[in-house]
Amino acid sequence: MKGEKEKEFLQFQVQRKVVSLYKSFLFILANLKAQGYDIDEDMYQRCRKRVLDQGNDTIREIEDYLNNFDIRLK
């Protein structure tokens, strides 16, 4: 199918950047906990799950949008 390799490349790049972004959020959360902010383990795990869920949902949504396009790179 024409443009399939380009679409796969774009999906990979978007996924890579979104994962990088939510890893940054997880590092920030872990740093806050380590610095003694009032974050108990239960709250930490809930926030961590929320970040991961939102990141994964974002990747799925973008991939769904990309399926509506024919993509060609120069």
Side-chain angles (χ1 to χ4, degrees):
M1 185 176 253
K2 196 171 189 179
E4 199 60 36
K5 286 184 181 181
E6 291 87 347
K7 188 182 293 185
E8 287 175 10
F9 172 78
L10 185 56
Q11 285 175 328
F12 174 77
Q13 294 303 321
V14 167
Q15 180 178 3
R16 188 174 70 86
K17 295 308 272 181
V18 171
V19 168
S20 176
L21 178 63
Y22 70 71
K23 279 184 179 179
S24 297
F25 290 145
L26 293 174
F27 286 132
I28 291 168
L29 181 62
N31 285 340
L32 289 173
K33 184 179 177 193
Q35 291 176 7
Y37 284 86
D38 191 20
I39 302 173
D40 63 20
E41 186 62 25
D42 186 51
M43 178 185 285
Y44 172 78
Q45 290 301 327
R46 280 195 319 268
C47 290
R48 183 179 182 283
K49 181 182 182 324
R50 215 175 202 181
V51 167
L52 292 171
D53 288 345
Q54 288 289 9
N56 290 329
D57 287 346
T58 299
I59 290 169
R60 279 191 291 276
E61 273 187 49
I62 292 171
E63 287 176 350
D64 286 343
Y65 293 142
L66 290 176
N67 286 329
N68 295 317
F69 292 95
D70 290 326
I71 299 169
R72 291 181 198 92
L73 300 177
K74 291 183 179 185

